[in-house]
Every structure is written in C-alpha cells, then in structure tokens.
Amino acid sequence: MDAEGLAALARQLRVDAVRAADAAGSGHPTSSMSAADLGAVLLARHLRFDFDRPDHPGNDRLVLSKGHASPLLYAMYRAVGAVDDDELLTYRQLGSRLEGHPTPRLPWVDVATGSLGQGLPVGVGMALAGKRLDQLPYRVYVLCGDSEMAEGSVWEAVEHAAYNHLDNLTLVVDVNRLGQRGPTRHEHDLGAYQRRLHAFGWHTIEVDGHDLDAVDRAFAEARSTVREPTAILAATRKGRGVAAVEDKEGFHGKPLKDTAEAIEELGGRPGIRISAQRPPDGDRPKAERATPELPRYDLGDEVATRNAYGEALAALGSARGEVVALDAEVSDSTRAEFFAKAHPERYFECYIAEQQLVAAAVGLQTRGYVPYASTFAAFLTRAHDFLRMAAVSRAGINMVGSHAGIAIGQDGPSQMGVEDLAMFRSVHGSTVLYPCDANQTAKLVAGMADLEGVRYLRTSRGEMPVIYGPDEEFPAGGSKVLREHGDDDRATVVAAGVTVHEALKAADLLAEYGIPVRVVDLYSVKPVDADTLNQAAGVTGCLLTVEDHHPEGGIGDAVAEVFSDGRPAPRLTRLAVRNMPGSATPEEQLHEAGIDAEAIVAAVKLLVERVVAP
Amino acid sequence: MDAEGLAALARQLRVDAVRAADAAGSGHPTSSMSAADLGAVLLARHLRFDFDRPDHPGNDRLVLSKGHASPLLYAMYRAVGAVDDDELLTYRQLGSRLEGHPTPRLPWVDVATGSLGQGLPVGVGMALAGKRLDQLPYRVYVLCGDSEMAEGSVWEAVEHAAYNHLDNLTLVVDVNRLGQRGPTRHEHDLGAYQRRLHAFGWHTIEVDGHDLDAVDRAFAEARSTVREPTAILAATRKGRGVAAVEDKEGFHGKPLKDTAEAIEELGGRPGIRISAQRPPDGDRPKAERATPELPRYDLGDEVATRNAYGEALAALGSARGEVVALDAEVSDSTRAEFFAKAHPERYFECYIAEQQLVAAAVGLQTRGYVPYASTFAAFLTRAHDFLRMAAVSRAGINMVGSHAGIAIGQDGPSQMGVEDLAMFRSVHGSTVLYPCDANQTAKLVAGMADLEGVRYLRTSRGEMPVIYGPDEEFPAGGSKVLREHGDDDRATVVAAGVTVHEALKAADLLAEYGIPVRVVDLYSVKPVDADTLNQAAGVTGCLLTVEDHHPEGGIGDAVAEVFSDGRPAPRLTRLAVRNMPGSATPEEQLHEAGIDAEAIVAAVKLLVERVVAP
C-alpha cells in the first residue's frame, strides 16, 4: 500500500469511528481519531494476522489497552473485511459483538480492555509466551493512551518487559495530551515518557503520530530492535481531522455533533478494503500430556496444604507440558519453588508485582497455556481489578493464595488473607476451592487445570493432619461428609480448610455431651454442593458455618445462598473472624476469633438448645 | 551525639532487633540489621519527634514501609525510652502492641505496614497534607526495602511526589540485595534505582548504607533540597554485623540461630538512651466548622446520585474546613469536580492511579483531614489491598464509587462495578451505603464524615426520581420502608439504589394482581437494619432481594446474614446480576440481568405462590 492509500485508510478509520459512535449515540470517537494514523500504519504495513484464522499460531497480537477507542479497532476490522458495515453500525447495541470496550466475543480480541493500564501487563504475558515457550516470531503490539501511563501496573510491566528483554513487544503510546477530564500530567512532553521508559531499559522512539511515514519507520525500527522492548511515543491530537474537536477539551467520550459535516471534513468515505500481511508458517512445540503422578500422603501425617500444592503442581507439570507457574517473589512460602526447580523453563518469577503476576497469567492463557499463579492470599487483593477483568476476558487461570486466614499466627493482620474468599466468589464464573488436607489439595490442583474461568485455590501455612486417602476424588462443586450419624444428627457443622480440623475435634467433644453432629468439609466454596447441604438441613434442621475469613462474602454467605431459593430454610448461624487480630500463635488466633473447637462446641450447644426450647 | 555514640546506637538497634526476634521465635532480624545504621542516623540526628506527644503537629512522620523490619522500629522506640525492655521482649506475643508488622496500636505509628509498596504512597498523602494544608515544616520519611520497588504502587507515588514537588518527603531505600526468596532484580545496582527515580524527577543520593557519616550527609542533603523529593539509595548488607548471615541467602524472616553469640559479635549490649530532636512549635490552621447547607431536591425531579454527591460534598466542604476531596482523573464523571471548583485548595487530582488515590486519603486522614476519594466503583477494585490495609491502619476514609452496576448501560462490563459491595463489605469495620435518591445521597455524604473506619458510598450514573424529602434522615444502619400494608403484606422486596425504583414499580404492578408487598430501601448495606428486616420477615414470611451487583457478597448476602442468627428464618430469594453483560441501554441491561420490575413481579409471584401451595 502506497502513501496515498495509507492516508486514505487512516481517513477511513476516522470516518468509520465517527459513524459507529454516531450510530450508537455514545462512545469515544475523538480518542479513536488521535490514534487512527497509528492504527492504519500498523494494519497496512506491519501487523501479520490471518483474520480468517484468529488461532493461527504465528499471528501477531494486538491489544488495544485504551479500550475506549474501540471504534478505531472495529474500523480496522472493517477495513480488512472481518466486520461488515452493517455490523459496524450495531456498535454498543444489545447483542452486538462490538461492545463499548473490546471483549473476546470477537475472535480477534484476546483479552478484554477498558480498565486502563492493563494492556501492557497482559501483553508482557503474551510476549513471554512467544519468546520463552512458543518460540515463534510473532510480535505483540499494545496501543495505550497517555493517561493510563499513571497506572502503577504499567510500570510493573515496563520493568518486567525490559528485565526479560522482550524485543518482541512494542508499546505504542498515543500521546494525545487530553485525558477524560482535562490535560494529562505531561501533555505533549514526549521527553517525560522517553526518560522514564529509557531509564527502565526500553528502546524509545519519539514521533509525530500523524506523520505516516515517520510512524512507519518507527514500527520498522521496533521490529529490528533486539534485546529491548520498544516504545513508540507518538504525539497526536485528540479528535484529529475535525477542527471543531481537534485538541480541544470537553469532547471526551461523546459522538461528534454533526457527523455528516465531520465526514465531509475528513474527506468523505474512501471505501478501502485491505489485507493484513500473512503470519509466517510454523507451529509451537507440542505440549506433552500424560496422567499426572500426584504425590500421595499417608493418613495422619502432618502436611501443610501449601506444600501439597507445590508438590502436586510439580507433578502436574511433569505430565502436562502446557502447565506453567508464576509467583510474586514468595515461591519459598507458596511452595511454587517446587515447580520452579522441576520445570525452570516454565516458571515465571514476577517479583513483588501482583498485578503483573495476574496479567502475565492472563496473557499466557491466551496462547493456550494453563497458568498457576501464586502469592499470599492477602496480596492477591492487589490484583482484584485484573481478576475482575480476567472474567470479562473469559480467561482460564488458576490463582493460588497461600497463608490464608488468621491461622498464620504471629505475622499479624497485614499478612492474613481474610477477604480473599469474598473477592474470588464475586468474580463472574469463578471457582473457589479451599482444601483441608494434602491429598485433597493434590487432587484439586490437578482438577482445576481443566475448569473454565478464574479458579482459586486457598492454601494454608501450617501443617494439618492428612484425613483423606490418596485415591479419594474431589470434584469442584462437591463436599465431603466427614461425620454423620444418620437421622440422629442434631446439627450440621460446615467447615473448610483449617476449621475442618476444629470441627472434627468439636464433633468428638459434642459426642461426649451426647450431641451427635454432622460435619461437612465444604472444600468447594463455589460452586457449592447444594444437594449435600440440603440433605443435611433436612435431617438436622440447623447448620453452623465456621470459617477463617471475615463474616462477609465467605463460607457463611455461600451456605446462606443455598438456602436463599424461596423454600423454607433451616436455622443458620456462623462463626467467622470478627475481630482485628494482632500477633499471636495460630492456636491463640483461632481461639481469640472464636473459630476453634471450643467455640464450635459452644455454638452448636446454643443452636441445639434452641431447637429443644425455642 | 558523636560518631562513636552513633555507632554504638546502631549496634544497639541490631542487638535489640536480634533479641526481640529471639524472644518471639520468629520475625525478621536480618532485614532489620541491614537498615540499622540508617535508622540510627535518622533517629539521632534528623528526626524531630516528641515521643511524649505523638499528636504534636510539628512531628516529623516516619513510615516503615518494609514493615517486616519491625524489630528495628521497636528497637528505635526503646532507644528513646518510648518502649521499655520488658515490652520489647513481648514482640509478636498475644496482646502485645509490638506486632509482627507495625500497626497504630502503637501511638507513634500512623499507618499499618507489611503489605509492601504502600509506605511511599501513604507518605505522599502525608507530605501533601504538610505542604498544601497544614503548612507546617514537618518532614515525611519513608524507609522501604529494595524488593518492594517492583510494586507499581511505588511508581504511582514516585510520579505523584515529583509532580507535586514534595521536597518535604524523603524516601530511604534499604538496598540490601536480597528479597525473601533470593536476590532482587537489581541486587546492589544502585544506578538502576537512581536512573528510574531521576527520570521521574527525584533528587537522588547514592550512599554506602553502613557509612554513618555518609548517611548523615545524605539526610542533610535531603533536608536542604528544594522543589524535588529526595531518594537516599543506600547499599546495605542483609544481616549486617553477624558473619553467619550477612549478605547470605536463606536467612529471611528467621531468628538468628545463636543469639548470645550474635550479640557478642555485634559488640554486646550498649544500653544507650537518646532523645530525638524536638519538633518546632507551630500549629496548623484551625479548620472551619459549621452545619452544612446541603442541597435540597424536589420530589419527582430526576437527579443522578453522583450529581447529588458532588453538590453535597461541595456544601460539606464549605461548612467544614477539614473535608478534602480526591479523584482519579474522572471528576467530571464522579462529580467530584463540583468540590474541586468550590474548594480548589482542598482538592487533590490523583490522575489514573487508584492505589495512590486511596493511599493519599489514608495519609491525609493521619493528619486529621476527612478525605472523600472517588472514581468509578469498578476501578476501586484496583486499590483493594490499600482498603484492606486502611482497616488495619484504623483509618477513617470516605470512598465513593460512581457508575455502579450494569445500569450504566452501553459502556459494557469493564466499566461496571458489580463486585464493589462484596469488596467493601469484607473490609473490617467498614460501612457500606448505597443511595437511591438525591436527598438521601446528600444526607449520607454529610453523615459519613463522622463515622469510623472505611466508609463506602455507591453512586449511580443515571438520573433517578427524587422520592425522599430534603429533611428526611438516613443514619448508617438504617433503612426505609417505602411501601407497606400492615399485616396484609405477602412478601417483602429489599432493594437499594437503582433497584429501589424497579421495586416500587413492581409493587404497583403486584398491587394490581392483588398481591400487596412491602418495599424496603436498604440504603445501608453494612451495617444492615436487622430490626426492620426481622419485622418484615415476621409479617410477610418471605423476602426477595434485588440488586445491581453479582449475587455474591452484596445485598442478598447481607440480608441472609441477618437471618443467620440461629433462629427460624423466613424464606429468602434473590435477584442479582448473574450474566456477563455486553453493551445495551440501561433499561435493556436491567431486563437482561433479570433485576427490573418485571423480574421482581415474576419472582414475588413465585415466592407467594409457594406460601399458598408449598
């Protein structure tokens, strides 16, 4: 495509962005117009992508981090014929694939964007896959806005990309000077971005983002740069091409007032149809696949579930080549180090950067890998927005939070994950697993690999006795009845993780008082085993939940939801962490919070007495 | 204090750190030893702090961002006589103020640390208070580790500090080369940190962190540097002073093996007692305090609650001088701009950096301000770890999330806050408010200022009719019964925010079917009005919750928790957002998710029929 054609293509992208927003009555045409020249050059001259085969292993990746500029992306899809004009005009309408911000409902979109500052971290994950695992020459392009450079997650990614010499990664910053509510911090000072990125070890190129030839040379320079990722810093003007809005405040996120006039000013509708370059042939190495030989633990042995996690993951990695692991500089605590030692080529150290940790996992799964990403449960809250967006991205990732709950003991509240179940339960389509023993952990680790969506495994710091045999099965959505006395049971105690062992102790004590109770190990907090809970409710009429978590959003809420189906409900009560813990031994912590065996005994007695004498 | 005394003080800090960890049987002595010389110089020569008056307005602030080095901090407190030797040896024991990581249970600690990368962002908030509001010459010192420089939140703060010319802020980076599981990315390459910080506009000083004189000069240089924050990059050795552990891997977070021997190697116990320099006199300007003249809205007018938020906050700011507002570059959407226009001197633009937004609020409240920090509800998830830690810090902050729920319409799921209630409910000691009308919003905005802990207000994008008079009161923990027909009510619909209006429509429709229902506006999601719900349950026997939020962790769970008190429960059922929304109009969204009036009517019918024919 010659220079004239390129200019016409850029005009068309602007026109189509304006038309789409006009049809929708909302959207961000001005943010699209600033980047239209960048998009045109990339699409016509550099991107290698088979739009008929979005799963082609050699396809370059394009992440529109400034997801609000979706009209530009959709205009690019129309230019290659992937989307037709009728569909373009369904933008933002009910049922349309062309959502306000891109999602993988479109086959050419790998990840959802729209929460700013996430595109580059996810792109880093894709670039790591290309370089270290696929060993394919595809490039990853991330187009981001200048406003989002204020997000810390961008700088986690900047650091990570340079440290890993990701020369297959190109960041294009559309420096259009204007954020949503006014000027950005650095406006058109490209040097401000250049100095920062260069200091982190990036190759940088400053260009006039409306000079098609300069932009073209910049992309070429990025492709020929080795050992360093490249940032193209493009000075642009928001609303470029329409004088009424160009480089002016107050026109963010609004259709243009007079679309017909704007189209005329932009030079009309060129009607261009182009083909992107074809990706190179070549396939990625075939991953091994065998049945994993999971570790087997003897009944009664004292094993921390975090240890079982590490051992099971290493075994799973031996059986399945697509399994990868990531950790945020605490692999000696989470035990991800067991995997790292067994499979160093598939282990990714993310240092203390939890947003990058999750984003890298999301990026890796777009390339078919099955990532397990671990850190302390408490610190996964750092990546909540990335987890939320992973669900919108329809990403399949395994998250592992160790050191759950107050049971960690002396380190105190900053290290205690007591909100993690609430966070993961609220993620759309998630699975939440919380084992109490080593064999159970091993089975869950293997089983979660093949689930969909965001899967969470909550592991514990301290040792706990092995109570299940190594051949027992633990499907997601199941539970285990650990104590039951048929119709004699007078209450049901529902526990998970560390509280299962407290519940078993309590059941023994209660038996001495002549109060038989049923004990349910609710290892699958979401989905929850409604059948078993309903059955227990039918027999005992009352249930007590006990959890090492705040009372909101965890096991108590999960069980209550089962009985929120319009039918008469059993009597419920819950024990949970309601205090602000300090430092203390694990046993003292459980006692202080009132979630130990003694507290369970007291609560069950109260519950049972109420049946007898309401 | 002369050089010899200083060296002895540094030795004592090491010895006391070793002794504290020994007494506890856990803790991080080696991470304390690397920074002991830095701590000694700061305490003896630069920190101006009246330990008898921790609330002295002129006190410098010291934030130990590497909170695991708490033994060093406690040793410093012992050196000034604030903590005695007996208490030092209670470290990490049940009931001790000397927790594993510092918390404000100690009067000299402003904020809890231990989640890495939070000290600098919070310190930025304190420094902003000193410079822009208090106009007092106190300095803010943040001591952080090298590992935590990988956290994006640090770079949000680095950018913010330089942009605001916070020359009252000194960051000391204890570059001890070793993280938890092994070497850091940059090990002892001070230049790597220097280049990055310098590029962001910081003054940087590289020193040997064990050269007391050089460290002293660095602090002096920091104090005399104007217009730029200063970072002292100190090369240190983890475990400094004890050959068995010094600069060696494998000794993170463990007491030394032979404490007596280590103490001998360190030179014994010097028994030094020093005084910190006294802070300068002077008080901060007295804040105005009057009864706010809140905006008043007419019944039936269509007003977005986000508008009422902005208008009420501006009015509150006029009445109360300690009220400040912050926003993450979306003040035109959240309507924080109304406050910004009325009180520019008390408005803090944080750009798109939600972690810094919350951290700045936490920092400002340590100086007695009442911050309101706003962005889209969806993007507050970005700061979940900061909110969790704000609770551990016993911080009083007002968080405001606009654009809640799928009711925002066309923008799609990336912009929709449908996990925020779950997140805020799970924060310890939090208050969660969700108004449905403008007058209610105004009252809640004013009322939340005087609550304790983390307060959350959820506002909506779209206009909704005003249904309450301007003089109605809305205390936290309350609710409003909007429809009731005495004992005739056959079901209770519990709603909040946008679903209140759907519930009212549904109640009218159900009345036509001869099904009188009670409608409760649960504007206080936490604490929840158990009395009103119990009363409604007593009459109607069944309740339906309907919420613009995922089914986990929100209003359905909050109501179910009320009935998880061991007593016989009413029949419950819930409507919530179970689908993954795309783009659509607000009305279409509510319909697709099944949380509109039509869905409520259908659900109530089902619920009521079950009563009749179970």
Side-chain angles (χ1 to χ4, degrees), chain A residues 152-290:
Chain A
S153 57
V154 170
W155 297 96
E156 293 182 9
V158 164
E159 177 77 89
H160 207 71
Y163 187 75
N164 286 282
H165 304 294
L166 298 179
D167 52 20
N168 55 343
L169 175 67
T170 302
L171 171 68
V172 185
V173 188
D174 176 24
V175 185
N176 69 17
R177 192 184 73 83
L178 292 172
Q180 172 178 321
R181 50 130 276 297
T184 61
R185 268 198 188 105
H186 303 299
E187 303 210 26
H188 270 142
D189 179 7
L190 295 187
Y193 299 104
Q194 189 280 330
R195 287 190 297 277
R196 287 159 174 74
L197 287 157
H198 184 71
F200 277 84
W202 281 57
H203 180 63
T204 56
I205 308 169
E206 298 171 54
V207 291
D208 172 350
H210 302 310
D211 179 338
L212 293 165
D213 195 45
V215 170
D216 187 28
R217 285 196 307 272
F219 276 114
E221 184 175 327
R223 286 168 59 181
S224 64
T225 299
V226 292
R227 299 274 300 162
E228 289 177 346
T230 296
I232 299 174
L233 305 168
T236 63
R237 292 163 73 89
K238 201 161 174 173
R240 169 74 169 184
V242 175
V245 297
E246 184 171 322
D247 199 36
K248 289 197 169 71
E249 291 188 44
F251 297 100
H252 180 93
K254 294 172 186 168
L256 303 194
K257 273 204 184 108
D258 191 328
T259 297
E261 199 176 287
I263 292 171
E264 202 185 310
E265 187 178 348
L266 287 166
R269 293 180 52 187
I272 291 175
R273 170 76 188 271
I274 63 158
S275 295
Q277 290 176 61
R278 295 193 62 80
D281 288 334
D283 213 339
R284 55 187 227 188
K286 260 278 172 291
E288 304 263 326
R289 178 105 190 217

Side-chain angles (χ1 to χ4, degrees), chain A residues 92 151 354 426 565-566 572, chain B residues 151 354 411 550 566 572 610:
Chain A
R92 286 174 165 251
E151 283 285 8
E354 294 81 7
S426 76
D565 62 354
L572 298 175
Chain B
E151 283 285 8
E354 294 81 7
D411 270 341
H550 284 165
L572 298 175
R610 280 201 186 148

Side-chain angles (χ1 to χ4, degrees), chain A residues 510-532:
Chain A
L510 286 162
E512 289 174 25
Y513 295 117
I515 306 175
V517 297
R518 186 166 296 197
V519 176
V520 177
D521 170 11
L522 201 76
Y523 66 84
S524 178
V525 178
K526 181 184 174 188
V528 68
D529 184 355
D531 286 349
T532 296

Side-chain angles (χ1 to χ4, degrees), chain B residues 550-569:
Chain B
H550 284 165
E552 301 89 2
I555 293 168
D557 279 357
V559 170
E561 195 189 350
V562 169
F563 299 109
S564 297
D565 62 353
R567 293 172 307 119

Side-chain angles (χ1 to χ4, degrees), chain A residues 391-405:
Chain A
V392 184
S393 291
R394 285 73 168 167
I397 55 173
N398 303 287
M399 300 301 310
V400 181
S402 74
H403 292 63

Side-chain angles (χ1 to χ4, degrees), chain B residues 520-598:
Chain B
V520 176
D521 170 11
L522 201 75
Y523 66 83
S524 178
V525 179
K526 181 185 173 187
V528 68
D529 184 354
D531 286 350
T532 298
L533 293 173
N534 273 314
Q535 204 169 13
V539 171
T540 66
C542 59
L543 292 90
L544 169 76
T545 58
V546 51
E547 61 192 305
D548 190 359
H549 186 274
H550 284 165
E552 301 89 2
I555 293 168
D557 279 357
V559 170
E561 195 189 350
V562 169
F563 299 109
S564 297
D565 62 353
R567 293 172 307 119
R571 293 180 305 113
L572 298 175
T573 185
R574 63 178 70 174
L575 300 177
V577 179
R578 295 175 193 275
N579 59 325
M580 173 58 73
S583 288
T585 66
E587 297 70 28
E588 288 167 341
Q589 298 281 13
L590 297 183
H591 186 71
E592 288 288 306
I595 57 169
D596 62 353
E598 187 181 324

